[in-house]
Amino acid sequence: PVGEVEGGLKLSACDGECCRLDIFHDGAFGSICDDSVTVEAAQVACAQMGFATEGASVQVGGQGYGGSGTTPGTGEIWLDELRCAGTEESIFDCPHNPWGNHNCIHAEDLGLCCPGGGEGGTGGGSAGGAGVAPTVSPEVVRAPRGGRAAGAGARGRGA
């Protein structure tokens, strides 16, 4: 799902193709903490929103409260310890802590980079074409302390 439905996703505070990933729960959008997140979450989220999955990546921080480099959200942090296998149909289906149960601050909000994303909202297209499994080149982008993520698939402020 996308938008204002339970488990629906939206992209916020985009910087190029990379945005903060927000999820709808209990009548409000909130952020997702980057703890334990791998590139499989990017594959699931981008596909869920109708974007391509080839080249999808996540922006995550370092250990502890290391910032992800994504523009921090406000309000609820809905999910923590998101552990997707990459086969789920939606982020809602990935194992995670109970809703709202986290040990995070907004500096750790998950960043998502979907090819063709970045304008906010959702993609609305088919992720791989009718009956065609998309080719996936996963990448996890770790942000240095206090900075934006660097490397292929990430977009820095100066890019």
Side-chain angles (χ1 to χ4, degrees):
V2 295
E4 294 184 8
V5 296
E6 188 66 19
L9 301 179
K10 77 171 183 174
L11 300 174
S12 301
C14 299
D15 182 10
E17 287 186 348
C18 299
C19 308
R20 185 180 65 249
L21 180 62
D22 291 332
I23 190 164
F24 195 80
H25 174 66
D26 201 22
F29 277 102
S31 59
I32 300 172
C33 184
D34 67 4
D35 293 353
S36 299
V37 173
T38 62
V39 71
E40 286 78 11
Q43 296 164 4
V44 172
C46 291
Q48 179 178 340
M49 292 186 291
F51 293 115
T53 58
E54 182 176 353
S57 62
V58 293
Q59 291 179 304
V60 298
Q63 293 181 335
Y65 294 112
S68 66
T70 300
T71 301
T74 59
E76 297 292 339
I77 297 174
W78 282 130
L79 295 181
D80 189 14
E81 300 297 332
L82 185 67
R83 296 171 298 279
C84 298
T87 56
E88 297 86 354
E89 290 189 25
S90 75
I91 289 292
F92 187 77
D93 298 327
C94 297
H96 52 77
N97 282 1
W99 289 96
N101 183 354
H102 65 86
N103 61 349
C104 303
I105 59 175
H106 279 294
E108 298 174 86
D109 286 348
L110 177 62
L112 178 68
C113 307
C114 294
E119 297 302 316
T122 60
S126 172
V132 178
T135 304
V136 178
S137 304
E139 176 182 2
V140 174
V141 181
R142 295 202 178 271
R145 286 216 183 267
R148 296 285 299 177
R155 306 291 185 260
R157 294 202 188 279

